[in-house]
Amino acid sequence: MNIKHGSTIFLKAIIFVVGIAVFALCIYWLPVLTIREIKTQPGVYSAYPFLVFAYGCCIAFSVALYQAFNLLTYIERNNAFSELSLKSLKVIRKTALIIIFFFVLGIAYLRVLSSITGDDAAGPTALSLMAILATSIITAFIEALQKPLENLLKR
């Protein structure tokens, strides 16, 4: 086993573990937290939009993980500079933009909800903005990888 193959296997294992964590979040933790919130505050349905935002982000993130797994498979097979890898990069970039969209929707909903209830939404808003920044950095990095690959494949 050479170094490149070993590192791609390690990265695939990390992607798999993160995928299992996202799956556990979607299947167990999000419904449990929502049910607990609804039981503590009956008649308040503010948890449902957040649940929609969370599931939207989880689904988009899962698609990005799957495409990253495919990209690592292409690298293992010496097809890193192919149309398939370019397609995977484009899908990862689109899913990152979808995640940013869901975070922006969540922040907007949180700000409206906090103005109605009088709660302070500075903490969750700051955390969401940090997540948007991290996702934007990943999007810019993918764009930087995608442009030379497109130029290479046009030749």
Side-chain angles (χ1 to χ4, degrees), residues 117-136:
T117 61
D119 291 337
D120 185 22
T125 302
L127 289 174
S128 298
L129 289 174
M130 284 186 250
I132 289 172
L133 177 66
T135 309
S136 299

Side-chain angles (χ1 to χ4, degrees), residues 1 5 10 15 18 32 45 50 52 54 61 66 69 74 76 82 86 89 107 109 114 116 141 146 152:
M1 178 189 316
H5 187 68
F10 175 73
I15 289 173
V18 170
V32 166
Y45 299 105
F50 285 118
V52 169
F61 188 69
Y66 176 72
F69 192 87
Y74 302 145
E76 275 182 346
S82 66
L86 182 63
L89 285 173
I107 288 172
Y109 178 73
S114 68
I116 292 171
F141 181 72
Q146 186 178 341
L152 182 72

Side-chain angles (χ1 to χ4, degrees), residues 11 26 39 86 97 99 101 126 134:
L11 289 173
C26 289
K39 285 182 180 178
L86 182 63
L97 293 174
I99 290 170
F101 174 74

Side-chain angles (χ1 to χ4, degrees), residues 15 60-73 88 92:
I15 289 173
F61 188 69
S62 297
V63 169
L65 284 178
Y66 176 72
Q67 291 300 323
F69 192 87
N70 283 344
L71 188 61
L72 288 173
T73 303
S88 292
I92 292 170

Side-chain angles (χ1 to χ4, degrees), residues 3-75:
I3 300 295
K4 186 172 84 169
H5 187 68
S7 62
T8 55
I9 288 176
F10 175 73
L11 289 173
K12 281 183 172 184
I14 296 295
I15 289 173
F16 186 73
V17 169
V18 170
I20 288 174
V22 169
F23 183 72
L25 176 77
C26 289
I27 298 300
Y28 181 72
W29 290 107
L30 286 177
V32 166
L33 292 175
T34 304
I35 290 169
R36 186 182 313 155
E37 179 69 23
I38 291 171
K39 285 182 180 178
T40 58
Q41 298 177 2
V44 177
Y45 299 105
S46 64
Y48 293 125
F50 285 118
L51 195 61
V52 169
F53 300 145
Y55 275 114
C57 286
C58 285
I59 290 169
F61 188 69
S62 297
V63 169
L65 284 178
Y66 176 72
Q67 291 300 323
F69 192 87
N70 283 344
L71 188 61
L72 288 173
T73 303
Y74 302 145
I75 291 170

